[in-house]
Amino acid sequence: MSVKGSSSKGASVREIFSTMEYGPAPEADDVARDWLKRHGNRFGHYIGGRFTEPVSGEYFATQHPGDASELAQVAQGDEADVAAAVAAAKEALPAWQQLGPHGRARYLYALARHMQKHARLLAVVEALDNGKPIRETRDLDVPLAARHFYHHAGWAQLLESEFAGYEGVGVCGQIIPWNFPLLMLSWKVAPALAAGNTVVLKPAEFTPLSALLFAELASEVGLPAGVLNIVTGDGRTGAALVGNEGLDKVAFTGSTEVGRSIRKATAGRGLKLSLELGGKSPFIVFDDADIDGAVEGVVDAIWFNQGQVCCAGSRLLVQESVAQRLEAKLIERMEKLREGPSLDKSIDIGAIIAPVQLSKIERLVQQGRDEGYACFQPSWSVPKDGWYYPPTLFSNVSPAATIAQEEIFGPVIVSMTFRTPEEAVELANDSRYGLAASVWTENVNLALDVAPKLKAGVVWVNCTNVFDAAAGFGGYRESGFGREGGREGMYEYLKPSFVPGLPKYSSEELAAPAGADELDAGVRESSATPGLPAIDRTPKLFIGGKQKRPDGNYVYPVVGEGGKRVGQAPLGNRKDVRDAVEAADKSAAWTKNTAHGRAQVLYYLAENLSLRAPEFEERLRALTGADRKAAEREVHASIARLFSYAAWADKYDGSVHPTPMRNVTLAMNEPWDVLAVVAPEEAPLLGFVSLVAPALAMGNRVVAVPSSKAPLAATDLYQVFETSDLPAGAVNIVTGVKDELAGVLAKHDAVQAMWYFGSREGSEVVERESAGNLKATWVNFGRKRDWYDPVQGEGREFLRHATRVKNIWVPYGE
Ligand code: NAI
Ligand code: MG
């Protein structure tokens, strides 16, 4: 066969190779159209194992973005539909739980197999409903969705041994977006079912079809009725689902704005919540990168799925010396991209999901132009019959520009330059988001130095947009919290088995400190208490390594057992909280310390506490009325707990996830930076130490609010801290009215995570107020732990809450 041979139509193969002009290669859509027809192009909800009419009788159209044609009518769900679905999920729960790990594993495995058997139908339905290239649905969305079911069939099987002491949360409400409809379904449904939960899922209004097809496949494999329910509809249906009181867990992927509203709507309801939200992820190219590789990387980062990707590399940061070269190559490459109908196997870019998203993109691009940034779009024009937008590059954009800060969620990338790695990190982190980052360099030292400094849940080295079920995915900052995939993702659908049985506090146990409102103006020395001279000092706050008077200069009386006044404590206010957070925020030294170094300090704390044991015992007796034995027990348990976390500091390690690509996927446990801790009222020393020690062990800087009623057990620790080589700002302590201080901490944007152990009402306030910067919260909903119990009071549960997992992908091989 000769390569010279020209085709009958004229163009030689050689010519075709050089021009790369080739005709369309359409994928047949007959199977998908037949499937739609079988349903009369109309779908009800999938509830309790069958398709049901919506209570309201209301339907709406889902369209094909490639030509705006209607594909089918789907049900608009309301409260009544949601209630029926939640009831079905609840009813199915006991039997699904009793089925046990192996039984559930069999179903997950069957689902994976069945998806693979229907891979082509799924790929075509997805491409039609979403408008994305069939190449992507065929090669990525569908195989990866099946892979999630295989992977989680494994977790289902191993549940009891690998998650001993944990159980499923119950009924899960799941809301997913339209950009990866089937894949997002699998990211949510597979771990939920593997953990023994049942599900009500609401797909996005623009792309309900693959979820409905999946429901049909689930029926075909005999998944018990009610284990999976699909309710279709728009944001109102989503809000109805979130508002349903029957849920034990909400999982959401979508916009930060809606995520925030869900955080507020679920506050205080005792639900578990995971949010996977927006992003403005940096794509960082160093001067020693393989530039051609990086150019292809940009194509995958921002033109994959039309840039409608939460982790899209939408900010291109290029080292100055190679910026021009990279941009020239990128522009050349952009000219060669092909945009068109999703079923054409030779296109790179499909259509935008809906007119509303198209106009958002147009508006933001216009704003970039109006602000004077150079904008490049290829010379070819996009098809006119659908909702298309061309690949777009803005160069030399200021980091503060709207287009550099706001998520455009389209095929638009903005570029800027940097000189040094430090500057690259600073620019990369100059975002309220933190979903992903991509780092391009041939220098592995540089890559692995930069990766931990990036505030992002996923870092791809010399690659981008790679995903696998064995690796966790999820954000830092306003990109949300919680992980999907891997061992870390399973915890989002599990709870410690002891939690439901914990007793509630009595109102007496939670009462605000007696006399907190009868304030003494000005810090005055308390009158000497006969026999107990050590408590005659008025403690201060502990901020930035220094003892500080409270801003308001107010103290409150600390009343011990039998109403006896045992001292005074500073009444911290919002200014004190802000100062404490600022001190913690600045104190990077603790986080930079090695795990061994942190362990040494924790041992030293234990040693110094042990030296003062009698003094602490006296204090506890006066504060709580404990007898000598009980006081000794609390001090001893606190010393032992410090030893536990000194031990853990270098042992709570991450892992290397075995993803199928040729790479090491490093799952690193990173601290939150500033972690706020509100300690319980009871066990004023042990409860405090049980929270502060694990936070410190993992490298967090802590702002702690001790027991309001018995704060002096914590303020006595200042001297222990001061003599134990703890860097200034690593621990900051603000005493006062606990729930007031908690509310201020929950609102603070520099606090990345917050733990609260107090009342149900206080838990609600913390969850609601945390919505501002979407900090991760861990609250007790007014339930009391036994701090002496090694299962309830210490261990991996605490360490897991003290860290967030960052997955760093490092490919290998030439
Ligand atoms: P959205 O957040 O409104 O939609 C996501 C899902 O949430 C859909 O199923 C929707 O019906 C549902 N929803 C909407 N309002 C709700 C409410 N109040 N309560 C419960 N559920 C609700 O996102 P939308 O409007 O489709 O896109 C807007 C922007 O959001 C995009 O331009 C993009 O910036 C971002 N986005 C991010 C995604 C991600 O993967 N992180 C996915 C989709 C959008
Ligand atoms: Mg559609």
Side-chain angles (χ1 to χ4, degrees), residues 327-346:
E327 187 170 303
K329 281 179 183 263
L330 190 57
I331 283 173
E332 200 181 309
R333 184 71 176 82
M334 286 169 78
E335 281 291 355
K336 296 211 173 94
L337 291 168
R338 292 170 66 108
E339 188 160 335
S342 53
L343 292 186
D344 181 347
K345 279 174 281 197
S346 61

Side-chain angles (χ1 to χ4, degrees), residues 61-65 69 71 125-131 178 204-209 353 387:
T62 182
Q63 292 157 295
H64 170 46
S69 64
L71 293 167
V125 165
E126 194 79 317
L128 282 174
D129 206 9
N130 173 280
W178 39 261
E205 53 270 45
F206 302 128
T207 54
L209 295 179
I353 189 71
W387 306 314

Side-chain angles (χ1 to χ4, degrees), residues 176-179 202 205 238-239 252 254-255 277 310 357 360 407:
I176 55 171
W178 39 261
N179 51 350
K202 192 202 81 69
E205 53 270 45
F252 172 77
S255 61
L277 310 172
C310 48
Q357 289 299 120
K360 177 184 172 188
E407 183 177 46

Side-chain angles (χ1 to χ4, degrees), residues 424-699:
V425 168
E426 201 177 305
L427 277 176
N429 289 338
D430 179 21
S431 167
R432 61 196 177 102
Y433 296 113
L435 197 48
S438 184
V439 179
W440 294 73
T441 169
E442 293 296 289
N443 178 350
V444 69
N445 293 315
L446 178 62
L448 294 181
D449 179 49
V450 165
K453 293 176 182 161
L454 297 171
K455 300 293 176 204
V458 183
V459 178
W460 290 297
V461 175
N462 292 331
C463 59
T464 190
N465 279 338
V466 270
F467 313 96
D468 183 58
F473 181 90
Y476 276 37
R477 299 176 165 175
E478 290 182 39
S479 293
F481 46 78
R483 295 290 178 266
E484 297 188 297
R487 181 186 293 272
E488 55 265 40
M490 281 299 289
Y491 283 105
E492 303 298 329
Y493 289 94
L494 293 164
K495 62 170 185 273
S497 309
F498 65 80
V499 164
L502 291 177
K504 292 191 177 139
Y505 286 108
S506 66
S507 50
E508 195 181 51
E509 285 174 306
L510 291 170
D517 46 0
E518 310 165 9
L519 303 175
D520 300 354
V523 180
R524 271 189 272 124
E525 294 299 300
S526 70
S527 58
T529 317
L532 296 170
I535 52 178
D536 196 31
R537 281 172 289 120
T538 297
K540 302 193 175 74
L541 307 174
F542 189 61
I543 295 177
K546 294 204 179 77
Q547 300 201 22
K548 277 204 170 155
R549 278 168 189 275
D551 167 67
N553 256 355
Y554 282 114
V555 294
Y556 68 97
V558 177
V559 178
E561 191 65 7
K564 213 163 85 191
R565 192 174 158 128
V566 296
Q568 291 178 316
L571 193 68
N573 65 13
R574 59 185 61 239
K575 168 82 167 57
D576 296 314
V577 168
R578 282 202 297 267
D579 290 348
V581 173
E582 196 185 325
D585 199 28
K586 278 201 215 132
S587 166
W590 181 248
T591 302
K592 285 190 190 134
N593 200 344
T594 62
H596 173 72
R598 292 195 297 268
Q600 293 298 301
V601 172
L602 287 162
Y603 281 126
Y604 203 5
L605 284 169
E607 187 187 322
N608 286 327
L609 177 55
S610 141
L611 284 174
R612 292 164 182 256
E615 192 187 310
F616 276 87
E617 284 158 21
E618 282 307 317
R619 183 65 106 184
L620 287 171
R621 293 186 63 187
L623 284 169
T624 65
D627 63 18
R628 179 166 301 282
K629 255 182 86 179
E632 276 174 21
R633 181 177 178 234
E634 182 164 351
V635 175
H636 180 78
S638 304
I639 295 167
R641 196 133 289 164
L642 286 166
F643 256 67
S644 287
Y645 289 111
W648 272 118
D650 63 353
K651 292 172 192 65
Y652 185 67
D653 42 19
S655 54
V656 180
H657 287 312
T659 51
M661 300 76 171
R662 284 167 59 78
N663 74 88
V664 280
T665 309
L666 307 168
M668 316 250 294
N669 295 321
E670 292 195 340
W672 293 100
D673 298 336
V674 180
L675 173 59
V677 164
V678 179
E681 284 305 298
E682 75 284 5
L685 182 64
L686 180 61
F688 185 85
V689 168
S690 298
L691 298 174
V692 171
L696 285 178
M698 294 297 101

